[in-house]
Amino acid sequence: VQLVESGGGLVQPGESLRLSCAASGFTFSNYGMKWVRQAPGKGLEWVSIINSGGTSTNYADSVKGRFIISRDNGKNTLYLQMNSLKSEDTAMYYCAKGTKRGQGTQVTVSS
């Protein structure tokens, strides 16, 4: 299993970012996937989950209405569209298959 996140960066409050996660080493279309994040000095926080077919999603209350999870099973890629970013969204973001995570991509929201 290999998961490689990308798309993070430094943005101002209110701006948007789209994270991507390239998956390999397993049959991507057979598994639900999720995004988790870890802010400095804090524990892992679950952000969003999507089922294997992309037809069912769920979000943490802290991001509901601002973030959109999606996937392209033809490209073995998971996405997280993040809109209306806030300073409290600053964290390392990881995609995950079960307990397996990638190396993460840093998102920093600051003016």
Side-chain angles (χ1 to χ4, degrees):
V1 173
Q2 187 171 16
L3 302 167
V4 180
E5 301 92 339
S6 62
L10 171 63
V11 297
Q12 295 188 348
E15 294 185 338
S16 298
L17 278 175
R18 189 175 84 152
L19 306 184
S20 298
C21 171
S24 61
F26 64 104
T27 304
F28 181 71
S29 58
N30 285 355
Y31 292 90
M33 297 290 295
K34 58 189 175 185
W35 287 97
V36 298
R37 67 185 181 184
Q38 188 165 25
K42 297 190 177 181
L44 271 178
E45 177 188 14
W46 170 78
V47 174
S48 183
I49 193 166
I50 187 166
N51 69 342
S52 59
T55 57
S56 178
T57 61
N58 202 3
Y59 300 91
D61 287 344
S62 58
V63 307
K64 198 170 294 183
R66 300 187 298 120
F67 289 11
I68 301 171
I69 190 172
S70 63
R71 64 192 297 161
D72 185 335
N73 285 343
K75 295 182 178 179
N76 290 350
T77 303
L78 178 71
Y79 302 101
L80 186 68
Q81 177 67 43
M82 306 188 296
N83 302 318
S84 302
L85 283 161
K86 305 175 181 180
S87 58
E88 51 263 45
D89 296 317
T90 294
M92 185 72 78
Y93 284 72
Y94 303 89
C95 67
K97 170 187 174 291
T99 58
K100 173 68 175 180
R101 290 182 278 150
Q103 85 290 345
T105 187
Q106 177 67 39
V107 172
T108 302
V109 185
S110 175
S111 56

